[in-house]
Amino acid sequence: MAFPIHRPRRLRRTELLRSFVRETRLSPDGFVYPLFVCPGKGVRKEVRSMPGVFNLSIDQAVKEAREAKALGIPSIILFGLPEKKDEAATGAWAEDGIVQQATRAIKAEVKDVLVMGDVCLCEYMSHGHCGIVKKSSQPQTLGFTSVGAAGAATASETEYEIANDPSLEILAKTAVSQARAGIDIIAPSDMMDGRIAAIRKALDDAGFANIPILSYAAKFASGFYGPFREAADSAPQFGDRRSYQMDGANLREAMREIALDLDEGADMIMVKPAIAYLDVIAEARRRFDVPVAAYQVSGEYAMIQAAAQNNWIDRDRVMMESLQSIYRAGASIILTYFAKDAAKLLA
């Protein structure tokens, strides 16, 4: 056997060498830490399906934001659990809404933190959908999977639909309300067509032309969202969200969604979920010269936590490997529930 001229293992001998030649370097600079804010005081209620993640009252959210900033994490994103829900998502756009209150409190107590506002309606709607529900005039569905005995859609399946254009007004009002409260970045996650243009116009008209939009541009209808719906109390009361969130089989459609959002005024784009859609992240990075974010969602987090609790995997190693894969695929911004733990290891 000929003596090998090329020996890549030379650069793998020690951790010092490996780190010296490492191509992908994770940093807390690109992390966004999600927080679930609820009414009350002194509330720190762990989410059953997301060990280490909590529903937090505003005072506790301020503490979490302060700790994240001290670890070098520059940004948090707020999700709200309102005191009551209705069919107009009033809690989403009210000036004294839970996210608006939390934003003011965090901004007053924690300096130099970027606060993102998730702009969606599902947490605030009594039915749990991301837009206004109305009677359907056409036989389209909310993505129901139940069928009748002969394979035809059941009556309940075709009775309702999400009204796209009327929902845009509420989304735009929510964005403006959050901007008034001090939100630094508006992050719409509803997947209504035309929402970026509606939000951009509303922000500009209200004097917030400098507030950037991070669009959940390629948000897929995914089974990985289950734990989030417990954390945010946002599960749909009927049907599902497949009629407005993307089909997970469609890469080319994802690129079209991103291009449309950028044309409407988005400044940054996001792919969600992350690990099951690394190819989408990579293609977005290749095609578009804007910051690309990815959301390591609740199910991805919960699987790692559950496997680690059963001693099936090395939690810290798999956590860091998963984050590295997202960054390597092309996301320079990562929304992750592991943000604090990963920042501690990186330090």
Side-chain angles (χ1 to χ4, degrees):
M1 182 176 178
F3 181 83
I5 296 173
H6 303 289
R7 291 184 181 266
R9 287 183 56 190
R10 289 188 185 115
L11 299 180
R12 302 175 195 153
R13 280 191 310 111
T14 67
E15 175 55 26
L16 191 61
L17 271 172
R18 289 191 295 272
S19 63
F20 184 64
V21 299
R22 191 160 290 147
E23 299 172 19
T24 303
R25 299 181 184 274
L26 270 178
S27 167
D29 289 346
F31 290 166
V32 180
Y33 187 39
L35 298 178
F36 297 96
V37 189
C38 64
K41 189 172 183 180
V43 178
R44 189 178 179 84
K45 179 185 175 184
E46 189 167 35
V47 179
R48 180 188 56 83
S49 56
M50 298 176 71
V53 174
F54 301 86
N55 291 150
L56 303 164
S57 53
I58 291 173
D59 58 311
Q60 296 298 308
V62 170
K63 292 180 181 178
E64 286 290 316
R66 184 182 293 116
E67 183 178 345
K69 180 62 182 176
L71 290 168
I73 299 164
S75 180
I76 60 171
I77 185 167
L78 299 179
F79 299 92
L81 285 78
E83 289 193 34
K84 61 182 180 179
K85 302 169 184 264
D86 57 35
E87 293 189 3
T90 305
W93 47 268
E95 294 302 315
D96 61 348
I98 189 70
V99 165
Q100 288 80 355
Q101 292 182 52
T103 301
R104 294 186 184 101
I106 290 168
K107 284 292 191 177
E109 297 291 334
V110 186
K111 303 305 179 187
D112 299 323
V113 62
L114 288 171
V115 181
M116 291 188 187
D118 175 78
V119 174
C120 196
L121 308 179
C122 57
E123 300 109 300
Y124 307 93
M125 288 287 198
S126 53
H127 47 67
H129 278 286
C130 301
I132 294 172
V133 172
K134 71 172 187 177
K135 289 274 188 177
S136 179
S137 58
Q138 298 177 348
Q140 65 185 75
T141 77
L142 292 178
F144 289 71
T145 54
S146 59
V147 294
T154 63
S156 62
E157 187 176 358
T158 59
E159 190 174 356
Y160 297 102
E161 65 175 308
I162 298 299
N164 189 97
D165 294 4
S167 300
L168 300 183
E169 181 180 351
I170 302 179
L171 292 164
K173 286 169 64 175
T174 301
V176 171
S177 176
Q178 289 186 358
R180 287 197 182 110
I183 286 284
D184 298 292
I185 299 170
I186 295 294
S189 63
D190 56 284
M191 289 302 287
M192 297 296 111
D193 292 338
R195 72 205 196 284
I196 301 301
I199 289 170
R200 183 72 273 163
K201 183 178 187 306
L203 288 171
D204 292 354
D205 290 349
F208 298 108
N210 291 326
I211 297 290
I213 297 174
L214 167 59
S215 172
Y216 289 64
K219 181 179 180 180
F220 293 87
S222 172
F224 285 103
Y225 300 151
F228 176 94
R229 289 169 184 171
E230 178 191 349
D233 188 25
S234 63
Q237 298 302 300
F238 49 86
D240 56 40
R241 296 175 178 146
R242 296 185 215 192
S243 70
Y244 45 101
Q245 293 178 358
M246 282 192 59
D247 187 331
N250 296 353
L251 171 64
R252 293 190 297 274
E253 184 188 8
M255 298 304 105
R256 181 167 183 256
E257 284 278 13
I258 292 170
L260 288 171
D261 282 5
L262 290 173
D263 285 346
E264 290 179 16
D267 303 283
M268 301 174 277
I269 59 96
M270 188 194 303
V271 175
K272 179 184 180 182
I275 295 174
Y277 296 87
L278 294 176
D279 60 324
V280 181
I281 297 170
E283 185 65 10
R285 175 68 290 152
R286 187 183 72 82
R287 290 202 194 188
F288 302 105
D289 293 326
V290 296
V292 175
Y295 199 146
Q296 186 182 44
V297 297
S298 59
E300 296 170 320
Y301 171 87
M303 288 193 303
I304 293 173
Q305 292 286 65
Q309 288 183 349
N310 281 283
N311 295 315
W312 294 337
I313 60 171
D314 180 328
R315 174 190 176 274
D316 288 353
R317 184 174 180 180
V318 172
M319 171 183 70
M320 299 305 285
E321 191 173 339
S322 68
L323 293 171
Q324 190 176 66
S325 74
I326 298 166
Y327 193 88
R328 188 181 65 244
S332 57
I333 300 166
I334 304 176
L335 289 76
T336 176
Y337 304 97
F338 286 124
K340 289 202 308 179
D341 291 341
K344 290 173 185 176
L345 286 179
L346 289 169

